[in-house]
Amino acid sequence: MARRPSLPCAVVGILLLALLPSPSTAGDPDLLQDICVADLTSAVKVNGFACRAAVTEDDFYFKGLAAAGNTNNTYGSVVTGANVEKLPGLNTLGVSMSRIDYAPGGLNPPHTHPRATEMVFVLQGTLDVGFITTANKLYAKTISAGDVFVFPRGLVHFQKNNGDTPAAVISAFNSQLPGTQSLAMTLFTASPEVPNGVLTKAFQVGTKEVEKIKSRVAPKKS
């Protein structure tokens, strides 16, 4: 019996790659039903949240972005999230939003979103914004009311209000729970603590300076 000709290895490899999801374009996993309202109390651990049986219209409703947040804090900015934790109906839908308010001089300090790209739309005021690539290249711009700016997924970015009046943006994310890692908070308030020897060598400062930073960025006790 004659053997069937086999596909060249290169062709097989291309076919396999075509069947794999693209990590560069992937957001949250695709949904497999119309809705899957998050059961935030469930002990079941999945990539997202388990679905809740009892569903109402309020699971898809949130009015927390209408009013400005309280910016009376160390950085002079506050983020109000509309993610799956506040809006259970977002579960499996791969989107979320937030509102960020800035006092005059307020800063949303350098941070990353490990699970989402962020797009901001300026509601009011003027902001200096920027992100840094893995090649250490800074892309920065001044944006004003009506402008849009994008921060690519996982890259360190910031927003600073250098104006004399309050500013605010609406942020959109391609994840139901994008996650936020503030560089200062992550390094200087981790639990257990990052060893001082790591921080002093990384930032080329002494132990006293590290302890001073820790005391300043530590969350205030109520």
Side-chain angles (χ1 to χ4, degrees):
M1 181 180 294
R3 295 180 59 189
R4 293 182 180 179
S6 59
L7 289 173
C9 292
V11 174
V12 174
I14 292 172
L15 291 174
L16 289 174
L17 288 174
L19 294 174
L20 294 174
S22 171
S24 61
T25 59
D28 290 346
D30 287 339
L31 66 162
L32 299 177
Q33 58 273 315
D34 288 345
I35 60 175
C36 174
V37 173
D39 184 353
L40 300 176
T41 65
S42 175
V44 177
K45 301 300 181 184
V46 295
N47 189 22
F49 294 92
C51 303
R52 176 159 33 92
V55 176
T56 72
E57 291 84 355
D58 286 341
D59 291 315
F60 303 90
Y61 173 77
F62 181 70
K63 62 179 181 179
L65 303 188
N70 183 3
T71 58
N72 184 23
N73 55 54
T74 301
Y75 292 114
S77 71
V78 63
V79 179
T80 305
N83 55 45
V84 69
E85 294 178 331
K86 302 286 186 63
L87 193 54
L90 287 178
N91 196 37
T92 74
L93 299 185
V95 295
S96 61
M97 300 177 70
S98 66
R99 173 180 175 138
I100 313 174
D101 291 284
Y102 315 80
L107 169 72
N108 190 11
H111 62 281
T112 70
H113 301 295
R115 296 185 290 273
T117 291
E118 177 182 9
M119 176 183 289
V120 297
F121 172 81
V122 184
L123 293 174
Q124 65 179 49
T126 299
L127 296 165
D128 292 334
V129 302
F131 66 86
I132 304 165
T133 69
T134 55
N136 230 28
K137 167 69 176 177
L138 171 66
Y139 291 89
K141 194 169 182 66
T142 300
I143 58 176
S144 301
D147 291 346
V148 168
F149 196 82
V150 175
F151 304 105
R153 175 180 175 175
L155 296 186
V156 175
H157 59 281
F158 61 86
Q159 304 107 29
K160 177 76 161 61
N161 179 8
N162 286 321
D164 298 325
T165 59
V169 304
I170 292 291
S171 296
F173 302 92
N174 63 330
S175 172
Q176 65 184 33
L177 194 61
T180 299
Q181 275 198 305
S182 168
L183 272 64
M185 296 293 287
T186 297
L187 290 170
F188 291 96
T189 68
S191 180
E193 291 186 349
V194 176
N196 280 355
V198 172
L199 298 174
T200 56
K201 193 162 186 70
F203 291 96
Q204 296 295 291
V205 296
T207 301
K208 288 184 179 180
E209 285 79 5
V210 168
E211 292 295 341
K212 185 181 295 184
I213 295 172
K214 286 183 177 180
S215 68
R216 289 179 174 176
V217 302
K220 298 291 188 296
K221 295 182 180 180
S222 56

